[in-house]
Amino acid sequence: AGAEEVRLSHFELGTLLEPLVAELQVVAREKSLVLRLVRCRHVVYSDPRLLRRVLQNFLVNAVRYTSSGSVLVGCR
């Protein structure tokens, strides 16, 4: 809505994904799910704060709506 200033920078996706997966490990374990991360070093040009929100939403929903098995997180 234009309220937030976008701050673009180059950064490795792993710096966002690793902490997010670590945070959600507890929730996944409570549901008897395996939450796995394929580490990546891909560099993107984006707003880290805004991209983190999007990725967090995807991961929270993946864990919430997966009833059994595992959730695999990675990037190409």
Side-chain angles (χ1 to χ4, degrees):
E4 292 189 43
E5 182 180 334
V6 176
R7 295 186 178 155
L8 299 173
S9 65
H10 289 93
F11 59 93
E12 285 186 14
L13 278 175
T15 62
L16 288 182
L17 291 174
E18 290 175 18
L20 283 174
V21 169
E23 291 171 18
L24 289 170
Q25 289 280 343
V26 175
V27 177
R29 271 190 231 112
E30 289 173 354
K31 291 186 66 180
S32 298
L33 297 174
V34 176
L35 179 58
R36 297 182 297 145
L37 172 66
V38 176
R39 300 201 188 284
C40 68
R41 297 182 53 114
H42 296 293
V43 174
V44 296
Y45 183 62
S46 183
D47 183 316
R49 185 175 37 91
L50 296 176
L51 183 57
R52 184 184 193 286
R53 275 196 213 160
V54 171
L55 294 173
Q56 183 176 29
N57 187 46
F58 282 144
L59 294 176
V60 165
N61 285 336
V63 170
R64 179 179 295 146
Y65 296 111
T66 300
S67 56
S68 65
S70 64
V71 174
L72 176 63
V73 180
C75 60
R76 294 200 261 178

